[in-house]
Amino acid sequence: MALEKSIENVVSSWKNVKSIDNYEEVAGVILFRKIFKIAPDASALFRFAQGVEKDENGELPEAIFESFHLKSHAKGVIQTVDAAVGLLEKDEIPQLVEVLRELGRRHNKYGVRFPHFEVVGSALVQTLKIALGEFAFTDDVEAAWLEIFGIIQKEMMVGIVGGMTYECDC
């Protein structure tokens, strides 16, 4: 799929997500449910989930998904996705690249590493599938989001690598 068509599909499908009442919280909570379902140990990366006892299946309690702190963080993540899609729509790619690299630098400080991107990418696709429904979440829309997320991932990884520090036993 041509990049321009992918951008068009991402922007138009995101507008559908934004039409959902309270979309930032709704999509954000779904996203974090999916992240923690795919990678239960990822909860250690988030202050709001650190020290929270998991059930016998290794899952976080339902109350965590109703907590102010998770919802606040989840909204922030979705606002970041919204800002990124907005920059794509305006064809402000250099600005988007810098925002993504800075985001990578910040996430490096929290211990985010390359494998975490696969988890978030999968969780995002699953979230969009739920939010848009199977009729609006077509194969083309999925392919577009995967392509764009690949670019997002690449640029954030550049930021992560740039933010890493190395110790030398020289």
Side-chain angles (χ1 to χ4, degrees):
M1 179 179 303
L3 182 59
E4 295 79 20
K5 183 64 177 168
S6 291
I7 291 171
E8 181 182 312
N9 281 337
V10 164
V11 169
S12 66
S13 63
W14 189 249
K15 286 178 181 176
N16 288 334
V17 171
K18 289 178 68 167
S19 71
I20 297 168
D21 286 341
N22 198 19
Y23 80 96
E24 292 166 335
E25 183 176 307
V26 171
V29 170
I30 293 169
L31 178 67
F32 276 90
R33 284 182 185 280
K34 296 300 179 185
I35 288 171
F36 297 146
K37 185 74 169 173
I38 295 166
D41 292 339
S43 63
L45 294 169
F46 301 95
R47 272 186 275 164
F48 59 76
Q50 290 172 351
V52 175
E53 194 170 321
K54 296 178 182 176
D55 67 17
E56 61 277 355
N57 298 320
E59 295 181 5
L60 291 167
E62 186 61 29
I64 195 80
F65 298 102
E66 295 298 322
S67 75
F68 169 80
H69 296 293
L70 181 139
K71 286 181 177 182
S72 178
H73 189 78
K75 283 180 180 179
V77 170
I78 297 302
Q79 288 167 351
T80 300
V81 172
D82 187 48
V85 171
L87 290 171
L88 273 176
E89 183 177 24
K90 295 176 195 168
D91 198 29
E92 294 181 6
I93 305 305
Q95 184 179 353
L96 176 58
V97 166
E98 188 48 43
V99 166
L100 294 172
R101 289 180 180 180
E102 177 57 32
L103 197 56
R105 284 188 283 277
R106 276 191 290 155
H107 280 73
N108 177 56
K109 296 174 188 173
Y110 306 131
V112 172
R113 296 296 175 255
F114 303 140
H116 297 126
F117 285 100
E118 188 174 320
V119 170
V120 174
S122 178
L124 179 61
V125 166
Q126 291 177 38
T127 299
L128 293 165
K129 190 172 194 171
I130 291 167
L132 294 169
E134 64 184 70
F135 295 110
F137 193 76
T138 63
D139 290 344
D140 285 346
V141 169
E142 180 175 6
W145 275 97
L146 289 171
E147 180 177 8
I148 298 302
F149 189 78
I151 295 167
I152 290 169
Q153 174 181 326
K154 176 183 155 275
E155 295 304 333
M156 284 187 70
M157 283 194 284
V158 168
I160 285 177
V161 170
M164 288 182 169
T165 57
Y166 299 96
E167 292 183 22
C168 179
D169 293 331
C170 306

